[in-house]
Amino acid sequence: MTTVMGICRSFRDRAFARFFHCFPCLSDPARRSSWGLKVTLVMLHLIFVGILFVFDGDLIEKTKKEPWYTALYLLLLLATLVQYFITSSSSPGYVVDVMRAVNETNVIYQKSSMASKQPASSQNGSLNVVIEGSQSGRNFQGSNPSSWTKLVMDMYPPGTSIRSCTCSYCNVEQPPRAKHCHDCDKCVLQFDHHCVWLGSCVGQDNHCKFWWYICEETALCLWTGILYIMYLKANISRPWWKDAIMILLLIALSISIIFLLLLLLFHSYLVLTNQTTYELVRRRRIPYLRRIPERVYPFSKGICRNLYNFCCVRSSIYSLEPLPSSQELEEKARPYTCLDILTCRCC
């Protein structure tokens, strides 16, 4: 008996080793879990939509008469799944990648300056690091670059210790709004949260993609819920167990719709005020946000510019925001007047 179990175990280990050799991306337990969640989410979509087409004969008849209606619904389903995989596979913007790019450009600049007195931007123009702010607004594109440490320290108030800005896990200097993610084991620019369903963080580079995914998922769930209700309201004799299945699925769908609507509204509020979930929830624990009043949004540049930066700035641009000065905070904390409204101060 022991020999048989040993043979079975050995055969199983060889089978798994061969499988992981063919699919090396699944050898990591974290990646297997992430892919398992992705498959589960796709299957849930197919189940909710598939059962609707299997049970609802009226929907089939409507598809024959008005194929555009079902085509739009299936197109929304496809767009939602595509957006999900685009969001889950995109980088949130890791600090170490920006640091490496800045330091490499600095080295190239120094070498090119020694070889010829031309700026390094002519040889390495792909890097684009924007340091925002009224006082230090400048574009770092290879010309006159600085080291990463100097760039980060310039974004903090004078006298800030470099130790307080250095991540104890990655050992890299964190710019403001960056945070170390223990699941990804990397520091993320403008860290929002680690999404379990995506299997990755939501940060500066993929927050816009995440918002669009939530928007598409909410629209798909609302449309599916309407089709479920139309099926249950139809006066057609059918087995009771079909109605029971549809009611249970509709209850689960209703809970998902409520959650998605709240999540969409919450992230829309964050976008309009240029905040992140981490900054809003842990404001009292973030050193540079503790002394700022609750209703003052230190990184907000007005609704219009916040929307523009969120939606229209290319993902290849790394945007680093320095901490606002005391004068800027006083201006943001100043109450609105009728003149401010007429001059569109909030925008």
Side-chain angles (χ1 to χ4, degrees):
M1 185 67 179
T2 305
T3 306
V4 173
M5 290 179 63
I7 293 174
C8 292
R9 192 179 296 110
S10 177
F11 177 78
R12 182 196 64 187
D13 293 341
R14 285 201 302 271
F16 274 114
R18 190 171 300 174
F19 176 79
F20 291 143
H21 179 74
C22 297
F23 302 97
C25 61
L26 298 178
S27 59
D28 184 13
R31 288 189 176 183
R32 285 203 302 271
S33 176
S34 176
W35 277 104
L37 286 172
K38 290 180 173 63
V39 172
T40 302
L41 188 135
V42 172
M43 291 301 298
L44 285 173
H45 282 76
L46 296 179
I47 288 171
F48 274 87
V49 175
I51 287 181
L52 187 63
F53 279 91
V54 170
F55 286 1
D56 195 352
D58 290 345
L59 184 60
I60 304 298
E61 292 298 325
K62 188 174 183 178
T63 302
K64 294 178 181 179
K65 295 178 182 178
E66 301 175 348
W68 61 267
Y69 182 84
T70 306
L72 285 176
Y73 177 70
L74 294 178
L75 187 63
L76 178 60
L77 171 65
L78 179 63
T80 302
L81 293 176
V82 170
Q83 185 67 31
Y84 168 74
F85 281 102
I86 290 175
T87 306
S88 62
S89 60
S90 61
S91 169
Y94 295 116
V95 174
V96 65
D97 295 334
V98 186
M99 181 189 71
R100 188 180 298 116
V102 169
N103 288 336
E104 286 178 357
T105 304
N106 190 30
V107 172
I108 293 173
Y109 174 79
Q110 291 175 354
K111 289 182 178 179
S112 64
S113 298
M114 293 174 64
S116 64
K117 295 185 178 180
Q118 296 179 353
S121 56
S122 61
Q123 301 178 18
N124 185 19
S126 60
L127 176 64
N128 197 346
V129 178
V130 176
I131 302 177
E132 300 182 354
S134 59
Q135 294 182 346
S136 58
R138 58 186 183 274
N139 205 350
F140 183 89
Q141 289 182 303
S143 58
N144 194 21
S146 304
S147 67
W148 173 252
T149 303
K150 186 178 184 303
L151 283 175
V152 171
M153 296 310 298
D154 285 345
M155 288 184 277
Y156 287 95
T160 303
S161 172
I162 190 173
R163 182 176 298 179
S164 62
C165 309
T166 304
C167 176
S168 57
Y169 300 95
C170 300
N171 198 29
V172 298
E173 294 81 9
Q174 293 178 335
R177 312 192 73 183
K179 182 189 177 296
H180 183 86
C181 175
H182 296 281
D183 296 289
C184 299
D185 198 26
K186 289 182 179 180
C187 290
V188 179
L189 292 171
Q190 290 186 21
F191 175 83
D192 189 87
H193 70 285
H194 183 88
C195 182
V196 177
W197 285 102
L198 292 179
S200 65
C201 285
V202 176
Q204 183 185 103
D205 283 359
N206 64 350
H207 198 178
C208 182
K209 299 183 183 73
F210 177 74
W211 188 92
W212 279 110
Y213 165 66
I214 298 173
C215 187
E216 293 173 13
E217 190 73 71
T218 304
L220 179 65
C221 288
L222 283 171
W223 198 341
T224 306
I226 292 171
L227 293 176
Y228 271 58
I229 293 172
M230 290 172 59
Y231 169 82
L232 292 172
K233 288 178 67 177
N235 295 320
I236 302 174
S237 59
R238 49 182 175 258
W240 65 268
W241 56 269
K242 285 189 177 182
D243 285 351
I245 292 175
M246 295 295 281
I247 290 172
L248 289 174
L249 291 177
L250 182 59
I251 292 173
L253 195 60
S254 301
I255 297 172
S256 300
I257 290 172
I258 294 172
F259 172 75
L260 286 169
L261 280 173
L262 292 175
L263 189 63
L264 182 62
L265 291 173
F266 175 69
H267 276 274
S268 299
Y269 164 73
L270 293 178
V271 171
L272 294 176
T273 55
N274 194 12
Q275 296 184 90
T276 64
T277 302
Y278 173 70
E279 290 171 347
L280 184 65
V281 175
R282 299 296 181 92
R283 186 160 181 152
R284 296 291 184 183
R285 298 182 60 181
I286 301 175
Y288 53 82
L289 294 180
R290 284 177 190 163
R291 299 179 182 178
I292 300 177
E294 290 290 337
R295 295 188 179 183
V296 176
Y297 312 116
F299 301 106
S300 177
K301 303 169 185 65
I303 295 174
C304 294
R305 192 174 175 192
N306 290 340
L307 283 173
Y308 174 79
N309 291 338
F310 184 79
C311 301
C312 303
V313 175
R314 301 193 311 272
S315 59
S316 60
I317 297 178
Y318 298 109
S319 178
L320 305 178
E321 300 180 71
L323 294 179
S325 63
S326 56
Q327 292 82 3
E328 291 172 331
L329 290 175
E330 289 178 4
E331 177 66 21
K332 293 176 187 293
R334 184 169 58 86
Y336 283 91
T337 62
C338 295
L339 182 62
D340 292 330
I341 296 174
L342 292 175
T343 56
C344 299
R345 176 189 159 198
C346 63
C347 298

